[in-house]
Amino acid sequence: MARVVVVGSINMDLVTLAPRFAAPGETLLGERFLTVHGGKGANQAVAAARLGADVALIGAVGDDAFGMQLHAGLAHEGISLDHVARIADCGSGTASITVAEGENHIIVVPAANARVTPAQIERAQATLAKADAILVQMEIPLEAVEATLRLGHRLGKPVILNPAPAQPLPIEWLKLARYLTPNQHELAILLSAGPAEDFLTLMQRSPAPVVLTRGAEGAWYRDGGEPVHQEGFQIDVVDSTGAGDTFNAALAVFLHEGLPIAVRKACAAAALSVSKLGAQGGMPRLDEFNTWLARQG
Ligand code: RIB
């Protein structure tokens, strides 16, 4: 069983289904509203746990009702929460999500996620030292992302940096990652690219190996040689929220099988995840995943 440690955000997702996206200043009547558990860190932890990994999460929730619900949900998935802080007098992270036309728009308010500190990462050293892979994203303070990269590197662990939401990062930090897992748009921001640079060029000049997600078109990966394309798996899209998180989780869980197999399985898991509503709604369990993948040929 792979041991995965996830460092990242925990949000309550406030999801509105709409016939289309509203224009600025416009009011639309939506079709449905629901609250579901999310946050890139929590989603990656849940997806990895469902795929059979032993998972620990490092993050923070507030002392509000959302925080209690999110904590209980993660515990129910069997995730170790010893390093999830409960911040007093603070709300939990939220994401206001509109789902329309098979796409989503998301606005995140970090709240407690903004209180994850480098000291908290250092306190989790013993947990990180047992990891086969470490996942970190960018909905927590950048100092905490840097601390994860530095400690993971010092411990000799593969750190997968999912640079979402993207912003430019120092080259020295990127070099500490075993893999970067942006989409095309995120890679351009991460590397402060000019408009003329396409993603294959950017992959070649990245300071760390890139596994680039391309939605329904699958993924491209490069680990030294030329970029390689992994085709996507076709499935009807209900809600694409959390597809990237499922991809990252599967990549970490199956990394020990070698990069090509891990990327193929990550594409498959991400495809399955979009077949149901909510970031965590479609994340497959290992038996369901294996059965579905075996049928894909
Ligand atoms: O990656 C999807 C996640 O992004 C959502 O669950 C939302 O919470 C935002 O963090």
Side-chain angles (χ1 to χ4, degrees):
M1 185 191 280
R3 287 190 192 163
V4 176
V5 179
V6 184
V7 183
S9 59
I10 305 168
N11 294 336
M12 188 62 84
D13 289 355
L14 314 173
V15 184
T16 301
L17 306 192
R20 62 179 172 80
F21 294 106
E26 184 187 21
T27 300
L28 278 182
L29 292 185
E31 293 157 350
R32 197 172 156 200
F33 174 79
L34 58 162
T35 53
V36 291
H37 298 188
K40 294 187 190 303
N43 291 345
Q44 294 182 16
V46 168
R50 289 191 190 165
L51 288 170
D54 180 348
V55 182
L57 177 61
I58 303 171
V61 292
D63 62 354
D64 55 354
F66 281 170
M68 285 174 61
Q69 291 167 32
L70 292 163
H71 198 277
L74 291 162
H76 183 72
E77 297 283 349
I79 295 163
S80 165
L81 302 175
D82 294 349
H83 295 284
V84 171
R86 287 186 197 240
I87 311 289
D89 299 321
C90 184
S92 297
T94 53
S96 299
I97 303 179
T98 305
V99 178
E101 305 161 37
E103 306 268 4
N104 60 46
H105 284 174
I106 305 181
I107 298 178
V108 171
V109 177
N113 296 305
R115 307 277 283 272
V116 176
T117 61
Q120 187 182 351
I121 311 298
E122 289 290 338
R123 282 197 297 277
Q125 175 162 344
T127 299
L128 288 159
K130 290 189 207 131
D132 296 310
I134 298 168
L135 282 163
V136 61
Q137 329 73 33
M138 288 168 41
E139 283 183 347
I140 56 173
L142 288 185
E143 310 88 80
V145 174
E146 180 189 9
T148 304
L149 286 163
R150 290 198 186 284
L151 183 52
H153 192 259
R154 203 163 78 219
L155 295 169
K157 302 294 176 182
V159 182
I160 299 172
L161 171 60
N162 176 214
Q167 49 183 298
L169 288 185
I171 298 294
E172 281 59 42
W173 295 18
L174 300 181
K175 283 183 183 162
L176 300 170
R178 181 67 187 88
Y179 295 109
L180 306 173
T181 56
N183 60 27
Q184 183 177 347
H185 170 73
E186 289 159 352
L187 182 61
I189 295 174
L190 189 68
L191 300 181
S192 305
E197 291 184 277
D198 65 22
F199 72 85
L200 291 172
T201 310
L202 290 174
M203 285 177 73
Q204 312 254 26
R205 83 161 167 86
S206 168
V210 173
V211 180
L212 183 115
T213 55
R214 294 273 291 164
E217 290 172 30
W220 284 81
Y221 58 95
R222 176 175 186 265
D223 198 357
E226 289 296 308
V228 178
H229 182 219
Q230 166 63 53
E231 296 236 349
F233 293 80
Q234 300 315 310
I235 200 158
D236 289 339
V237 179
V238 174
D239 179 5
S240 61
T241 314
D245 298 327
T246 310
F247 181 96
N248 276 275
L251 187 71
V253 171
F254 299 115
L255 199 54
H256 65 277
E257 297 184 29
L259 190 61
I261 293 175
V263 172
R264 181 170 184 270
K265 289 191 172 183
C267 287
L272 270 175
S273 78
V274 304
S275 64
K276 294 191 187 134
L277 195 56
Q280 297 173 13
M283 288 173 176
R285 297 190 184 279
L286 188 59
D287 50 355
E288 175 198 355
F289 175 72
N290 285 335
T291 305
W292 186 83
L293 189 56
R295 280 204 220 107
Q296 304 309 303

